[in-house]
């Protein structure tokens, strides 16, 4: 039976988990996850095995502010393979102060149904 | 002389939480002094996520976490001074501070809360031989440059030290287009959170060289190459294992030290393991009426614990102003024994605890399936099973007030029992 060990990164506790593929009958695969201290570990583990995603945090240029960069992030995690494409888009962007935390800077990033939002206000 | 009930030095997460909690507990006359041009402390440069899971039950970035507290401070009408540096504090709680508008000021406080955070160890502190060239930064300085000033510190990078800041910067530099060749760690294990090893190194195939160190730096004006060697179990470089890495930048993530110049000037007793003040259950230092919280006391890896500890400091500072802190029995003294490096708080006046108290501690090595045991003499007060313990991850043990009342032995020992033993 297929077994995989991995570390849950859904929270800073970092539980060490073991995932076993129990059965992959028809359309639904069943997994047995152990070692996780909370249910988020189970869903993270299965996801990491099937379609890993990551939150991207970075910065964009900002004009008329006391700093030259404004921190931003994806509103939700995006597929791991799209990280560098996302970074490339962010490189092109320049915003202007004042701006508020949580404002959307890019809507529907790369057609992923995820936005790029600001993570702080700058006056 | 200006006069405040409570003055908080430092406007990072520790200072913000302490000020807010003091106000919530009925103190009106509070001032926060911050030397930077804005509040938020080091969090403003920590743009990655992973903050706030315990405090807000959601995952925030550093600036988002900070902004929630800054907003609260504003809503509560707590006064603060930015661009203001505290130069000196005295035992009688007179603060000397300076800024460009008020010049040099002396301010009298009834209570001072120290929340100055920590600073990074530099090359001088670890003594790497070789040329004094450009291209060597502490990881935190590089983080500030890249994330706030938009200045990319280098293209071809080696990072010494696998603490969280080093790991975070490995990913950050990679995302910004730099090549990170390796993260080099002196110890046989990483000092960073596992989550960061997975997300910052493994995701980008950046090698983590455990039991290795930088033995030489070469270059004319800027770093051109560095030498990395394996170390033996005494952490001495092994001859013949040297390898040359061509690079233009070396980032140092070799540890944080509490910022305690001010604490020393007030004559506060420091713990030589944590580098921060000795504190009691209320986060009060050896000088009555001077409290401390956050990284100035001991280096935290999670800002959530900084917030928890600082709320306790703020609340107790308020109780002190209201003369509600008690001093009845001889305090219990905590003592770190086998496997434990330090414990905060150092002293416990049981009568001041609200039903329970968290002891924070760090272990001295990696352990699996161990037990943290808290004892008073031979009496076991509490034991907690821990499947995994590492020096990079702070541990906490919650004690109930009712278990601490009337203890004969005034010493509270904490030790680690490894798997096999019972
Ligand atoms: C470079 C770096 C990166 C970090 N990254 C992370 C991370 O990714 N995740 C995490 O959880 N933790 C991180 N930490 C730990 C982090 O410091 C704590 O989580 C938290 O920010 C500590 O809060 P604090 O308020 O104690 O200190 P700080 O945030 O450092 O705040 C202290 C404040 O006091 C001010 N100050 C100091 N001296 C004076 C003075 N004399 N007069 C006036 N003001 C003064 C400083 O300007 C600063 O704003 C990092 C620490 C450093 C140094
Ligand atoms: S399983 Fe739960 S507690 Fe453990 S790391 Fe994952 S999210 Fe955190």
């Amino acid at each position: 039976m297929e077994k995989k060990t991995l570390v849950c990164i859904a929270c800073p506790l970092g539980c060490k988990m073991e995932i076993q593929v129990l059965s992959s009958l028809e359309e639904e695969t069943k997994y047995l996850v152990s070692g996780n201290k909370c249910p988020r570990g189970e869903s993270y583990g299965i996801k990491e095995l099937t379609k890993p995603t990551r939150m991207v945090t970075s910065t964009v240029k900002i004009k008329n502010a006391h700093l030259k960069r404004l921190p931003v992030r994806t509103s939700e995690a995006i597929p791991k393979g799209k990280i560098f494409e996302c970074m490339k888009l962010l490189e092109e962007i320049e915003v202007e102060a004042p701006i508020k935390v949580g404002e959307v800077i890019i809507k529907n990033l790369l057609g992923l149904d995820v936005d790029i939002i600001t993570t702080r206000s700058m006056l | 002389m200006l006069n405040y009930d409570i003055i908080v030095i430092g406007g990072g997460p520790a200072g913000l939480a302490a000020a807010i909690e003091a106000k919530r507990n009925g103190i009106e006359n509070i001032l926060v002094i911050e030397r930077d041009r804005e509040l938020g402390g080091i969090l403003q440069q920590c743009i990655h996520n992973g903050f706030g899971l315990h405090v807000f039950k959601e995952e925030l970035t550093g600036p988002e976490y900070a902004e929630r507290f800054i907003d609260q401070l504003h809503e509560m009408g707590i006064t603060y001074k930015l661009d203001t540096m505290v130069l000196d504090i005295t035992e009688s709680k007179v603060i000397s501070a300076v800024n460009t508008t008020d010049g040099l000021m002396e301010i009298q406080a009834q209570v001072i809360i120290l929340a100055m955070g920590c600073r990074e160890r530099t090359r001088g502190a670890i003594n790497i031989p070789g040329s004094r060239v450009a291209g060597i930064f502490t990881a935190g300085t590089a983080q500030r440059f890249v994330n706030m000033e938009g200045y990319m510190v280098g293209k071809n990078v080696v990072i010494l030290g696998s603490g969280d800041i080093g790991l975070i910067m490995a990913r950050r530099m990679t995302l910004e287009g730099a090549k990170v060749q390796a993260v080099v760690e002196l110890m046989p294990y990483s000092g960073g959170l596992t989550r960061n090893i997975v997300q910052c190194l493994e995701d980008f195939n950046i090698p983590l060289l455990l039991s290795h160190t930088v033995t030489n730096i070469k270059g004319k004006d800027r770093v051109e190459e560095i030498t990395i060697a394996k170390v033996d179990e005494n952490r001495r470089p092994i001859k013949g294992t040297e390898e040359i890495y061509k690079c233009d930048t070396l980032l140092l993530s070799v540890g944080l030290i509490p910022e305690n110049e001010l604490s020393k000037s007030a004559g506060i007793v420091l713990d030589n393991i944590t580098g921060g003040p000795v504190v009691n259950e209320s986060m009060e230092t050896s000088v009555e009426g001077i409290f401390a919280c956050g990284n100035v006391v001991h280096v935290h890896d999670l800002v959530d614990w900084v917030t928890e500890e600082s709320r306790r400091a703020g609340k107790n500072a308020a109780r002190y102003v209201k003369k509600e802190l008690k001093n009845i029995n001889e305090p219990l003294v905590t003592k770190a024994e086998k496997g434990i490096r330090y414990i905060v708080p150092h002293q416990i006046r049981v009568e001041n605890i609200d039903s329970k108290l968290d002891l924070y501690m760090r272990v001295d090595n990696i352990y699996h399936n161990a037990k943290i045991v808290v004892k008073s003499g031979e009496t076991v007060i509490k034991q907690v099973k821990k499947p995994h313990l590492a020096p990079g991850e702070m541990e906490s043990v919650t004690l109930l007030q009712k278990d601490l009342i009337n203890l004969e032995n005034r010493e509270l020992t904490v030790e680690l029992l490894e798997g096999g033993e019972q």
Side-chain angles (χ1 to χ4, degrees), chain B residues 235-248:
Chain B
R235 295 182 233 159
R236 278 185 309 241
I238 304 172
K239 274 228 151 33
T241 62
E242 296 89 355
E243 269 189 65
I244 305 272
Y245 283 69
K246 301 265 180 216
C247 61
D248 57 30

Side-chain angles (χ1 to χ4, degrees), chain B residues 305-320:
Chain B
W305 303 142
V306 171
T307 299
E308 192 283 325
E309 182 182 285
S310 306
R311 283 178 173 159
R312 186 144 44 87
K315 182 174 183 183
N316 286 305
R319 285 162 84 186
Y320 179 87

Side-chain angles (χ1 to χ4, degrees), chain B residues 152-171:
Chain B
M152 192 54 185
V153 296
K155 289 209 175 75
N156 200 333
V157 187
V158 170
I159 299 177
L160 175 60
S162 65
D164 289 312
I165 310 167
L167 299 177
I168 295 283
M169 280 311 286
R171 173 176 63 187

